[in-house]
Amino acid sequence: MAEKLRPVKVLYCSVCSFPAEYCEFGPDFEKCKPWLLKNAPELYPELLKEAAEKTTEQLDGLDISGDKKEYITGSSSESKKEEFKTLPGGKVKKKEKPEVVIEKVVRNKRKCVTIVKGLDMFGIKLTDASKKFGKKFASGASVVKGVTDKEQIDVQGDIMYDIVEFITETWKNVPEESIFFIEDGKKVPAV
């Protein structure tokens, strides 16, 4: 007579609630790694190697007394710290330089909309700026969320080249070198 089938015991991750074999396909594998190292090290031997490498790097950074070594660095490394921001998971993100990007979008064949992005990086309130644009150019101007979920100003009309002069005159802290146009999908300096 054949053996009676028994249910398979599956080890579920307490972090993502997936089976341990499928944690790497989940949304937060980085959070699951410590749990996997503790409870299922045989499933992911490469995690053990990573953990061993990290501990050796940490041990290399320690002095005999147990204090962390301090390396003497010049001002160049300090400027690099300002340019890069380390995100969780070891990803490195560059900090954005403050710049104003102006783009013209044609809609309904003859209607144009001039889009101004990045004024908020210079500390300018976008609602005040849109009111000034509307009064100066006698057109509708509004603050809208763009494609990247950042706020931008939409001004009705083709005022792409006139708006640069108005921005530099109205707000002195916006240099003309930091204003760019988007023409044919390329970023072109306005100067």
Side-chain angles (χ1 to χ4, degrees), residues 8-24:
V8 177
K9 290 188 177 185
V10 179
L11 180 64
Y12 288 97
C13 177
S14 64
V15 178
C16 67
S17 72
F18 283 179
E21 294 87 12
Y22 293 100
C23 276
E24 65 182 313

Side-chain angles (χ1 to χ4, degrees), residues 121-176:
M121 292 180 172
F122 291 96
I124 299 168
K125 290 186 178 179
L126 295 182
T127 53
D128 297 340
S130 69
K131 287 179 185 176
K132 288 183 180 180
F133 289 148
K135 287 179 182 176
K136 169 69 177 171
F137 300 110
S139 65
S142 61
V143 179
V144 189
K145 281 204 175 190
V147 180
T148 60
D149 285 338
K150 289 188 177 181
E151 290 188 335
Q152 63 189 25
I153 299 175
D154 285 359
V155 184
Q156 293 177 1
D158 184 9
I159 54 167
M160 194 166 166
Y161 298 103
D162 301 331
I163 205 165
V164 174
E165 187 177 323
F166 179 70
I167 290 172
T168 53
E169 287 174 2
T170 309
W171 297 285
K172 302 294 182 192
N173 62 338
V174 181
E176 200 168 344

Side-chain angles (χ1 to χ4, degrees), residues 31 87 99:
K31 292 180 184 176
L87 298 173
E99 60 184 26

